[in-house]
Amino acid sequence: MKLVEVLSEYFGNLEDESIRDNFVVTYELLDEMIDNGYPQITEQKMLQQYIKTESYKLAEKNHQKSTKNELKITSNLTSKISHRPEGIRYPKNEVFCDVVEKLDLLASPNGTVLSSEINGALKMNCMLTGMPNLKLGLNDKALFEMTGRTTRGKLVDMEDIKFHQSVDLQKFERERVITFVPPDGKFELMTYRLNSTVKPLVWVEVTLDNYTQSKVEYVIKAKTQFKSRSFANNVEIAIPVPPDANAPFFKTNIGVVKYVPDQESMVWLIKSFPGQREYLMKARFGLPTVADPNRDKFKKSPINIKFEIPYFTVSGVQVRYLKIEEKSGYKALPWVRYITQNGHYSIRMFNQNNSLKSWDLYVFE
């Protein structure tokens, strides 16, 4: 995976043709990244200091500059920390940590969650001078069990944890503290997974109100099931329609709806969806007299939903602290953000011939 990332950075699109065209560079990268079958240097920024995609002109005027570059390269390679070069300077020292979680979920029309999984990642952007040492702590259940401590807050039992090469794994095993000297710039510090049943954050109910040979009418109710102080941004609800549908007409009390015939669906777009709210949409499509043989296929297709909820994690993971230590003793600003996004998020339909209950008055004019 890391090799693919590095080659993509060098070649743009990683294809067989790009590897053939850059065979020499590929060979040089493999030679530096792997030593006797063991990974050596895998950070793209370090590799770019001494492997260039462009050709060199060995003119006399460039001799002094080349010598300086060679000395810098040698210094970096012989350093104990291969993923971070020495001599980095910033006028303002800051580190940003984004806790990004993606929710994979499949639910039945009656609300039963058939499968759910949370895939999380801690994404860093470090703009720090020198060789800082960072310590990061999470509300990790294993840490509190190991130390015998108690807390009123929620604890999270993470699985399949994978760390960036900069993390001191032995210290993590002993103390459950993530200690690392970060690479310069952006990188992924760790990934994790949680297998737990999660209540759907965005729920959608679809009812076929009137399905005849000449038309089909939908009543769609969408609601959010997270705290009212949070918002889901850029919500997209893709609802399947018959492949031969035509003459679309939509009515909704929020957002916009568009018909996407090449995807055999209509997409309801809601820019900002507050928590603990619900909205309605009604749609009508015409159907040709000569029916498509696969007309009813859409009933078996799921509703697909996209969203992003800032300042929120579905698992409850929290960064308890982020400490920055450097021998010069400068002060640095740590920033932490939380984001929950959809992964493979689908709800099966249909609830046919259901009573429209309280939203029965929402009809076409």
Side-chain angles (χ1 to χ4, degrees):
M1 185 66 179
K2 192 64 180 179
L3 177 61
V4 172
E5 290 179 11
V6 171
L7 294 178
S8 297
E9 286 289 338
Y10 270 83
F11 307 148
N13 295 325
L14 184 58
E15 300 175 357
D16 54 351
E17 185 177 350
S18 62
I19 293 176
R20 285 197 300 268
D21 292 344
N22 297 279
F23 176 78
V24 175
V25 178
T26 304
Y27 182 85
E28 290 177 356
L29 285 168
L30 291 172
D31 187 48
E32 297 297 342
M33 294 177 70
I34 303 171
D35 186 15
N36 290 325
Y38 293 95
Q40 182 174 304
I41 300 172
T42 58
E43 284 301 315
Q44 175 254 337
K45 287 189 176 182
M46 293 290 294
L47 290 166
Q48 281 186 339
Q49 291 188 34
Y50 51 93
I51 297 180
K52 309 289 184 179
T53 54
E54 64 269 17
S55 60
Y56 282 100
K57 295 182 180 179
L58 300 178
E60 185 65 27
K61 62 180 180 181
N62 291 331
H63 177 72
Q64 187 177 358
K65 184 176 180 181
S66 298
T67 304
K68 288 181 179 179
N69 285 336
E70 288 168 6
L71 290 173
K72 186 177 180 182
I73 292 163
T74 304
S75 174
N76 287 333
L77 289 175
T78 56
S79 170
K80 288 184 179 180
I81 302 172
S82 63
H83 58 268
R84 184 180 179 89
E86 296 181 355
I88 297 174
R89 294 286 182 271
Y90 282 99
K92 185 179 181 181
N93 293 287
E94 295 179 299
V95 57
F96 299 87
C97 176
D98 286 347
V99 182
V100 181
E101 292 190 340
K102 292 191 175 183
L103 175 60
D104 294 341
L105 181 139
L106 176 63
S108 66
N110 63 6
T112 303
V113 175
L114 304 175
S115 66
S116 63
E117 183 178 83
I118 302 167
N119 294 289
L122 268 65
K123 299 183 179 182
M124 310 290 293
N125 185 9
C126 290
M127 294 178 284
L128 300 171
T129 299
M131 285 285 179
N133 190 58
L134 275 63
K135 293 182 179 180
L136 186 146
L138 302 171
N139 55 335
D140 182 10
K141 184 178 180 181
L143 169 64
F144 284 81
E145 290 178 348
M146 181 188 300
T147 58
R149 295 159 57 188
T150 59
T151 178
R152 293 182 180 179
K154 183 178 180 180
L155 298 178
V156 178
D157 189 10
M158 293 180 286
E159 304 172 22
D160 293 344
I161 300 175
K162 296 179 182 178
F163 288 111
H164 185 267
Q165 69 182 73
S166 61
V167 174
D168 186 339
L169 297 180
Q170 292 182 348
K171 193 163 187 177
F172 179 77
E173 289 296 328
R174 292 194 311 267
E175 305 175 18
R176 300 293 290 190
V177 176
I178 303 169
T179 306
F180 59 102
V181 176
D184 185 37
K186 297 180 180 180
F187 68 100
E188 193 169 77
L189 177 64
M190 67 174 285
T191 59
Y192 60 89
R193 180 179 61 84
L194 284 90
N195 246 332
S196 58
T197 302
V198 178
K199 185 178 182 180
L201 300 176
V202 179
W203 180 253
V204 178
E205 293 180 11
V206 176
T207 302
L208 289 184
D209 188 27
N210 192 358
Y211 186 22
T212 67
Q213 290 294 322
S214 60
K215 67 178 180 178
V216 58
E217 294 181 359
Y218 292 74
V219 175
I220 299 108
K221 180 175 71 171
K223 63 179 179 179
T224 49
Q225 303 186 129
F226 48 84
K227 294 181 180 179
S228 58
R229 65 173 178 265
S230 297
F231 287 79
N233 295 330
N234 302 316
V235 178
E236 294 186 16
I237 303 170
I239 304 155
V241 301
D244 55 352
N246 56 50
F249 177 80
F250 308 110
K251 188 173 183 180
T252 178
N253 53 3
I254 190 172
V256 295
V257 188
K258 61 180 181 179
Y259 174 42
V260 188
D262 56 336
Q263 297 178 13
E264 297 179 4
S265 66
M266 55 178 160
V267 180
W268 188 5
L269 305 170
I270 304 173
K271 189 173 183 180
S272 182
F273 202 147
Q276 299 297 315
R277 295 289 296 273
E278 67 176 53
Y279 296 110
L280 299 172
M281 188 265 284
K282 196 163 186 180
R284 181 176 62 208
F285 292 88
L287 297 173
T289 305
V290 180
D292 188 295
N294 296 318
R295 175 175 287 180
D296 288 338
K297 182 183 69 173
F298 76 102
K299 296 180 183 179
K300 298 179 181 179
S301 300
I303 307 161
N304 294 313
I305 305 171
K306 296 180 181 179
F307 57 85
E308 180 175 285
I309 308 173
Y311 316 112
F312 176 84
T313 55
V314 65
S315 70
V317 166
Q318 290 183 342
V319 177
R320 295 172 47 241
Y321 59 84
L322 178 55
K323 299 177 181 178
I324 305 159
E325 300 173 355
E326 212 275 336
K327 60 183 179 180
S328 65
Y330 64 71
K331 292 184 179 180
L333 297 173
W335 304 93
V336 181
R337 295 189 305 176
Y338 300 94
I339 305 170
T340 293
Q341 300 171 334
N342 65 283
H344 299 289
Y345 192 105
S346 302
I347 300 173
R348 290 178 179 170
M349 56 179 202
F350 265 110
N351 285 333
Q352 289 183 301
N353 301 321
N354 282 1
S355 172
L356 297 184
K357 300 179 182 179
S358 61
W359 53 92
D360 194 25
L361 296 177
Y362 191 75
V363 296
F364 287 111
E365 294 178 355

